Amino acid sequence: MADSLSVRHSAGGQAGALVVGDNYWYQTIGEQLFVLKKNGGNRVSQIALAKPAGGICTDLLLDGDTLYALLGGDEVVELSVSSPKSPTIVSRTCAEELGIRPRQFAMMSGSPVVFGGGGAVRLADGSSLVTCDCEVTGISNTLEQGVVYAMDRKMFSAQTNTFLGSATELHALNANANAPIGTLVFIRALQGTTEVGLMSNEVKEIGSLAKAVIDGEYSDVLVRGSRVYVVTDAGISVLGISPKEIRLLREFPISGVRSIGIVASNYFALCGDFGYGLYRIDNDSGGVGQTLFRVVEANGPMQAGMFDARGVQVATTAGGMYYTFDKGLAEMNAVYGEAPLQTSAIVLGAEAVIEENGSVTMRTSDGDMQLVLPSPALTVVAVSGDFWFGAQNGMYVVGQRTDDPQLIGIQLAGPIVQLIPLFDGAVGFVSGAGVVGVVESN
């Protein structure tokens, strides 16, 4: 039995998040953070936020000379961008230290906040703003109700837990917006559509004219002055705000977008299943409008695929790809089907069975026992008498001993949806986070 696991090779990764500053655009692919020139998108530098395949950055927040990066629901990474071209990591705060499972950032009254499973926390001092048993999806400070948060498409007062209405996200307008002080923009994610509207400082919907319904499942929103840029799986919608009205101004049917930034009056920065790139809104001296250009490709989420001794073909939201073990990832014209999820494996004298909730039952001649892993398991294979598990947050190996099973593991960008035993004893993996690779024991 080995002492540890390590990633021997990895490839892929989703373009998970972006944020645009005064002169530079910060973009992530997988665990890598790229610094790009705001004007043109040329790459200036890059820094790894985690070990190879160790996580995917899902959100970024820029606050002056500080950049916050969110690695899945596991960790907040604080970086200094006092030298904007050369970010440096200042600190890491794991979910256990935060007391919540971090999912998203927000600015609240000028202070950066992270929220997610279990509540919301102010990043400046680690103080708790909301404590609950569910997933917080939005938070804002209001004039009349104080801190208000959203969960399960419902709004509550953080102080009294009083039910206030319905919303998925909340964003306070700044002083230069064409609306009364204290006005909020709310997002309500519905089945196949997204509702956007205005609320008063009393956290009440203003009226029927201050509401718009947009096609598509909600993905992201950017509020700038009196403009609201809403991203859904159907494209980008631009809405204008007046004191008692919100109006749909323009729509751009671009599929697969995950996040948006503004680089100039006629240009968006976009990232999503295609990778990242610039989008020209209208015709100008640079070219034709409504064009996505200077695209740097990345891949979307992956599913388990068919494999052979050389590699594995996987399906992504953008098409098929083939990973050659220990070499690289390339596009392919067709995908020949998704492999079934393997949820049981047998070694001499024992069987491991993954239940629907991700728990693991070990069956031996001495009876059944529950195996406790650090996160829910999805798939399992047997390699040289050991059980290898693909889990929500990584891979774990259970070595069979005469006494209790021995456990070692490695954190990876998950969920790990497929494991493939290789001839040399290593194991290939496919991650739902869009990463493939090979892990070996040491």
Side-chain angles (χ1 to χ4, degrees):
M1 182 64 187
D3 295 322
S4 64
L5 302 177
S6 62
V7 176
R8 190 168 78 191
H9 184 267
S10 66
Q14 298 180 66
L18 69 81
V19 66
V20 178
D22 293 336
N23 298 300
Y24 294 94
W25 160 9
Y26 299 96
Q27 173 70 58
T28 64
I29 293 184
E31 77 280 0
Q32 296 291 325
L33 172 70
F34 299 108
V35 182
L36 314 173
K37 286 186 177 179
K38 182 177 177 180
N39 181 16
N42 293 327
R43 188 179 299 178
V44 175
S45 63
Q46 72 183 79
I47 183 174
L49 300 173
K51 293 180 179 180
I56 179 171
C57 182
T58 55
D59 201 10
L60 292 171
L61 177 68
L62 186 60
D63 179 28
D65 288 340
T66 301
L67 177 65
Y68 294 97
L70 182 58
L71 292 178
D74 299 316
E75 188 176 46
V76 172
V77 182
E78 179 184 340
L79 300 101
S80 170
V81 289
S82 55
S83 176
K85 295 187 292 185
S86 305
T88 57
I89 294 176
V90 175
S91 66
R92 298 177 181 273
T93 309
C94 66
E96 289 75 14
E97 294 174 276
L98 290 167
I100 65 170
R101 296 182 302 280
R103 303 295 187 192
Q104 194 172 342
F105 294 125
M107 290 296 293
M108 196 179 77
S109 301
S111 180
V113 171
V114 64
F115 55 88
V121 173
R122 183 182 286 109
L123 289 169
D125 57 9
S127 60
S128 176
L129 298 169
V130 175
T131 301
C132 64
D133 295 329
C134 296
E135 185 94 5
V136 174
T137 59
I139 188 168
S140 183
N141 203 13
T142 66
L143 295 179
E144 295 290 330
Q145 298 288 345
V147 176
V148 173
Y149 67 97
M151 66 177 189
D152 294 332
R153 223 163 62 197
K154 301 180 181 70
M155 291 185 301
F156 298 89
S157 162
Q159 185 174 4
T160 64
N161 286 322
T162 304
F163 173 71
L164 300 174
S166 175
T168 302
E169 283 193 25
L170 296 163
H171 299 268
L173 293 175
N174 58 28
N176 62 6
N178 185 22
I181 298 296
T183 301
L184 302 171
V185 174
F186 72 85
I187 304 293
R188 191 175 292 142
L190 305 174
Q191 191 74 30
T193 61
T194 300
E195 196 171 47
V196 187
L198 301 179
M199 289 183 177
S200 68
N201 57 19
E202 297 174 339
V203 200
K204 294 181 179 179
E205 293 186 34
I206 290 175
S208 58
L209 292 178
K211 189 186 304 182
V213 177
I214 298 166
D215 288 337
E217 299 279 351
Y218 172 70
S219 178
D220 188 29
V221 65
L222 180 68
V223 180
R224 288 291 181 269
S226 296
R227 292 289 184 268
V228 181
Y229 305 86
V230 181
V231 179
T232 72
D233 61 2
I236 300 168
S237 300
V238 184
L239 300 99
I241 294 170
S242 60
K244 293 186 178 181
E245 184 179 3
I246 189 166
R247 181 178 299 178
L248 181 61
L249 303 177
R250 298 194 66 173
E251 292 182 294
F252 303 95
I254 317 167
S255 62
V257 179
R258 185 174 294 115
S259 189
I260 184 172
I262 309 296
V263 296
S265 59
N266 197 39
Y267 291 85
F268 295 142
L270 302 178
C271 74
D273 293 340
F274 54 87
Y276 67 84
L278 291 165
Y279 186 84
R280 186 182 299 109
I281 299 169
D282 293 314
N283 297 347
D284 64 12
S285 59
V288 178
Q290 298 194 34
T291 302
L292 182 64
F293 65 103
R294 294 188 184 173
V295 173
V296 175
E297 294 183 351
N299 54 266
M302 290 179 172
Q303 300 173 342
M306 308 304 291
F307 64 90
D308 55 26
R310 192 173 68 92
V312 57
Q313 49 182 306
V314 294
T316 75
T317 52
M321 305 195 82
Y322 189 86
Y323 172 60
T324 302
F325 298 126
D326 290 310
K327 291 185 179 179
L329 192 63
E331 292 185 13
M332 60 182 300
N333 295 325
V335 175
Y336 299 104
E338 182 181 354
L341 198 64
Q342 184 172 335
T343 57
S344 66
I346 296 175
V347 299
L348 184 62
E351 180 183 17
V353 178
I354 300 174
E355 311 296 343
E356 288 188 7
N357 63 359
S359 64
V360 177
T361 300
M362 298 284 286
R363 295 174 177 167
T364 69
S365 58
D366 295 328
D368 294 354
M369 64 172 285
Q370 292 297 307
L371 177 65
V372 179
L373 298 178
S375 73
L378 282 83
T379 187
V380 59
V381 294
V383 180
S384 301
D386 299 328
F387 292 117
W388 289 62
F389 294 93
Q392 286 287 349
N393 71 350
M395 288 172 60
Y396 301 94
V397 179
V398 176
Q400 299 304 295
R401 292 285 188 252
T402 55
D403 47 9
D404 292 333
Q406 182 182 355
L407 173 70
I408 60 173
I410 185 172
Q411 181 172 319
L412 298 173
I416 305 303
V417 297
Q418 185 175 23
L419 298 178
I420 304 165
L422 305 182
F423 289 127
D424 62 359
V427 172
F429 69 89
V430 177
S431 168
V435 182
V436 288
V438 176
V439 167
E440 62 184 359
S441 56
N442 304 308

